[in-house]
Amino acid sequence: MTDDRVVVALDVGGTGMKCAVVRPDGVVVRAERHPTDAARGPAAVVGTILDVAEGLADKARADGLTPIAVGIAVPGVVDEARGVAVWSANVGFRDVPVRDLAVARLGLPTALGHDVRVGGLAEARLGAGRGSGHVLFVAIGTGIAAAHVVDGTAAVGAHGAAGEIGHILVRPDGPRCGCGRPGCLVAIASAAAIGRRYAELAGPSADAAVTAAEVAERAATGEPLAGQVWQEAIDALADGLASGQALFDVATIVLGGGLAQAGDGLLTPLRAAMRERMTFHREPHLVAAALGDEAGCLGAALLALDAVGVRDHQEKR
Ligand SMILES: [Zn+2]
């Protein structure tokens, strides 16, 4: 029997939307990208989300497929139970009932999710955490956020705010975080913080804008200052992840986001630093994410499939 069922999935970011038509086994049959153009304001962004979702559903039908649900991932604070985008700095959402708007427009069951949580869902079920059961997905980029996924379900938290590992206190006397408190992990080990720290130590005479990726590269070539800054970030990350492991006892930690593209330059020293911090806790497998920037879109698709109770064969891809 052929299965013609598909879901429509959108991962809405500050600059772009990754969109796809996805089969129940996780295979993408159509992929599109559209600009978010957040400067137009939240109403226009929601209009684009609905237009793109409807367009993908129509194209799927034209291909002889049957759209059964829609999954939409957005950044910020997301009330998944009510389907409301509560707050987002980079898209401008304030209490937008995205799910109800999509149901009204498309007439399909719709799930709304948080971008990092659905990314973690996808990595745990289809990507680098596949088969692990207990997975902590940590996205390290401009910010640092995590998703704790147990047996294929990501914990949302009582207030939709689970997984804020970036705000674990790792350096009480450290730099002030955007949240107002000094010493949060994200204030030391985010891509932005690494670049800032390098510029601070290099002094005003040096080239001001060095990215975290460049710090990683320079550290690998043996530049002492880059090596120091990179190691500071590694140590802070190891402290944060060790706290995560003490809480969750996962089998696998999957590192995603821009910083994970440093590959072994990140993983090798981070594994060593984690090992130093493990006492009676079991050391988790520390691996790089496998799905790249498609994780959010695939996770939105999984959320849509879960919403309609279709969860067959996903893990057997
Ligand atoms: Zn903070």
Side-chain angles (χ1 to χ4, degrees), residues 13-317:
T15 54
M17 300 180 193
K18 291 143 206 153
C19 318
V21 175
V22 184
R23 292 195 327 218
D25 59 5
V27 172
V28 173
V29 295
R30 176 187 290 275
E32 294 181 359
R33 296 199 176 207
H34 298 270
T36 301
D37 214 354
R40 297 174 301 152
V45 172
V46 171
T48 302
I49 290 171
L50 299 179
D51 289 347
V52 168
E54 189 172 47
L56 282 169
D58 288 345
K59 287 170 194 167
R61 290 189 191 99
D63 290 340
L65 302 169
T66 305
I68 55 169
V70 178
I72 302 170
V74 298
V77 178
V78 182
D79 185 333
E80 297 188 4
R82 288 168 53 232
V84 174
V86 176
W87 181 87
S88 151
N90 50 2
V91 186
F93 291 146
R94 300 287 183 276
D95 290 316
V96 180
V98 176
R99 184 183 64 195
D100 289 352
L101 292 169
V103 169
R105 173 79 168 269
L106 288 106
L108 291 171
T110 300
L112 183 71
H114 176 263
D115 57 353
V116 174
R117 280 200 292 272
V118 300
L121 203 62
E123 285 291 347
R125 277 157 65 172
L126 302 171
R130 217 166 94 167
S132 285
H134 294 248
V135 175
L136 187 67
F137 171 70
V138 183
I140 312 169
T142 318
I144 300 179
H148 181 214
V149 184
V150 178
D151 296 335
T153 301
V156 175
H159 313 94
E164 294 287 356
I165 198 169
H167 300 280
I168 283 183
L169 178 63
V170 293
R171 299 287 179 271
D173 54 352
R176 191 165 293 276
C177 177
C179 77
R181 193 179 62 165
C184 291
L185 174 59
V186 69
I188 292 143
S190 70
I194 291 169
R196 233 178 6 246
R197 177 69 171 150
Y198 185 89
E200 179 191 317
L201 293 181
S205 60
D207 43 343
V210 177
T211 66
E214 286 162 350
V215 172
E217 281 168 23
R218 292 179 189 195
T221 62
E223 189 201 293
L225 180 60
Q228 178 195 331
V229 172
W230 190 242
Q231 191 59 46
E232 283 177 8
I234 297 285
D235 287 337
L237 278 172
D239 286 335
L241 295 181
S243 294
Q245 183 63 355
L247 288 171
F248 300 132
D249 182 32
V250 294
T252 304
I253 294 180
V254 179
L255 295 183
L259 208 68
Q261 285 168 11
D264 286 341
L266 174 70
L267 291 171
T268 303
L270 190 52
R271 282 193 193 107
M274 283 284 285
R275 200 163 296 140
E276 284 171 16
R277 286 160 176 77
M278 297 291 109
T279 54
F280 63 91
H281 295 112
R282 295 285 293 276
E283 187 183 335
H285 296 291
L286 194 63
V287 295
L291 302 174
D293 68 358
E294 280 189 23
C297 194
L298 286 170
L302 294 177
L303 214 57
L305 290 163
D306 289 353
V308 290
V310 178
R311 200 164 162 175
D312 48 348
H313 309 303
Q314 277 164 27
E315 283 79 20
K316 295 179 193 157
R317 184 163 72 155

